[in-house]
Amino acid sequence: MANLELARDDPATLLWTQLEGTRAGMLGLVGGDDHLQPMTHHGERATATLWFLTRRDTELFASLSAAHSAQFVIASPEQDFYASMRGELSEKRDERVLDTMWNRVSASFYDGGKTDPQLAMLALRLKEAAIWASTGSTLVFAWEIAKANLSDGP
């Protein structure tokens, strides 16, 4: 359940906590013709960077020229937290981060392993984010809606 107090008092901490607990989101270039596409991310709070692995033969990679404004959107598994983040997306290779991200799933996309020529790393340097948090309880949500619709007027 999203922590509503943390959403009010420290939204950045809530965002990074939710990013850690969410496997994937939707990534796309701002102003591009392509749709957002599902991507698994690795977050680095210290540098405000989200990292992605992709293939060089994807539409996203082909559309990326130098640094480009991009958007990444997540929804928590409990559907009580949503975030839309924007920043500069660029290709950047970082072996330390690659070692952290590499697993059996990522290996299945690259025949040559970490040195596969089709493997590209993308870094999204976050500049801004908007979050939406609500209670995970249907009963509490219904009560909040009812309270919001109460009025003293006619």
Side-chain angles (χ1 to χ4, degrees):
M1 180 165 49
N3 182 327
L4 298 181
E5 185 174 318
L6 193 56
R8 281 187 300 272
D9 299 339
D10 190 358
T13 295
L14 180 59
L15 173 64
W16 287 102
T17 300
Q18 291 293 327
L19 280 164
E20 290 171 5
T22 305
R23 283 190 14 209
M26 302 292 287
L27 176 67
L29 300 178
V30 174
D33 292 332
D34 298 328
H35 291 283
L36 298 175
Q37 64 183 48
M39 297 287 283
T40 300
H41 60 278
H42 169 75
E44 231 180 21
R45 183 175 183 170
T47 61
T49 304
L50 297 179
W51 293 89
F52 306 91
L53 300 179
T54 192
R55 294 184 54 87
R56 294 181 181 281
D57 56 3
T58 63
E59 289 180 9
L60 176 65
F61 189 81
S63 299
L64 186 63
S65 57
H68 199 289
S69 185
Q71 181 174 17
F72 187 60
V73 179
I74 63 167
S76 70
E78 297 81 17
Q79 297 182 342
D80 61 355
F81 179 87
Y82 302 87
S84 176
M85 296 150 274
R86 286 193 179 186
E88 292 298 316
L89 183 68
S90 60
E91 180 180 13
K92 183 175 179 186
R93 182 91 177 190
D94 185 317
E95 297 300 325
R96 178 189 54 81
V97 175
L98 180 57
D99 288 344
T100 302
M101 295 178 72
W102 197 258
N103 58 37
R104 289 184 183 137
V105 175
S106 53
S108 70
F109 289 96
Y110 307 98
D111 294 334
K114 293 180 192 176
T115 60
D116 191 304
Q118 283 296 319
L119 173 62
M121 291 183 72
L122 301 178
L124 177 60
R125 294 290 311 250
L126 298 180
K127 301 291 184 197
E128 64 179 356
I131 67 168
W132 295 266
S134 66
T135 177
S137 165
T138 305
L139 182 59
V140 172
F141 179 71
W143 172 244
E144 289 171 350
I145 294 297
K147 284 193 316 183
N149 287 300
L150 291 176
S151 70
D152 293 331

